[in-house]
Amino acid sequence: MTQTTRASADDRRDARAAAAAPDASGVFSHRQILTIIVGLMVAMFLAALDQTVVATAIRTIADDLQGYDLQAWATTAFLITSTISTPLYGKLSDIYGRRPFYLFAIAVFVVGSVLCGMATSMYELAAFRAVQGIGAGGLMSLALAIIGDIVPPRERSRYQGYFMA
């Protein structure tokens, strides 16, 4: 690697860091906030899409896996693990930062989704939905916490309204 290539790579990295950081007063620009919101909304859309599909198709899924009487376990496993993990994500992200936990929640949710797609029985589906619920517990709560961190209180309701829309 030549000196000019290394220098230009360093310049690009510095420019990206400057564009991603708040200004001197610690406030993000509207464009920076919208960029962050789009990323957060994509992850939340992933979870909402999953919930919509599973809620609609759970009877068919249970019939295919010959476990109609066990379908409540798949729903319950997801709800219990997401409910338990939500406050854990909140507290740990307060201590160690939101970004790594949000990325972890997305990764666990996607892995759980892939595993759910490969389930061969209702027991497996319930276990994999529990894994998915661990990830889902952080998706919504951390998204709103991140908005709370980057947006001033006066404008917070407007940006949270984007999520609800």
Side-chain angles (χ1 to χ4, degrees):
M1 187 187 262
T2 65
Q3 184 65 22
T4 25
T5 307
R6 189 174 306 130
S8 65
D10 290 339
D11 292 341
R12 285 193 307 268
R13 184 176 48 248
D14 293 340
R16 279 194 308 267
D23 62 9
S25 65
V27 177
F28 285 95
S29 70
H30 181 69
R31 181 177 177 166
Q32 289 171 321
I33 292 171
L34 287 181
T35 303
I36 294 168
I37 284 178
V38 167
L40 296 174
M41 289 177 94
V42 167
M44 286 179 50
F45 176 73
L46 178 71
L49 184 64
D50 170 74
Q51 285 298 98
T52 304
V53 169
V54 171
T56 306
I58 190 67
R59 181 163 190 256
T60 306
I61 294 169
D63 287 343
D64 288 346
L65 296 177
Q66 290 84 35
Y68 183 73
D69 54 333
L70 301 172
Q71 76 180 17
W73 283 99
T75 304
T76 304
F78 180 88
L79 291 174
I80 288 173
T81 54
S82 65
T83 302
I84 290 171
S85 64
T86 296
L88 295 175
Y89 278 113
K91 183 61 176 175
L92 291 173
S93 69
D94 285 344
I95 297 170
Y96 299 109
R98 308 232 190 267
R99 183 177 181 193
F101 285 98
Y102 197 64
L103 294 175
F104 175 77
I106 292 170
V108 170
F109 184 83
V110 169
V111 166
S113 297
V114 169
L115 291 173
C116 285
M118 297 188 305
T120 58
S121 72
M122 283 303 288
Y123 292 111
E124 283 183 6
L125 181 63
F128 297 151
R129 288 283 290 169
V131 171
Q132 196 178 31
I134 292 171
L139 290 181
M140 182 67 163
S141 61
L142 289 180
L144 294 175
I146 290 169
I147 291 300
D149 288 344
I150 65 170
V151 177
R154 180 178 282 274
E155 300 174 15
R156 202 169 289 161
S157 62
R158 181 176 73 176
Y159 288 106
Q160 287 178 343
Y162 293 153
F163 282 93
M164 299 311 145

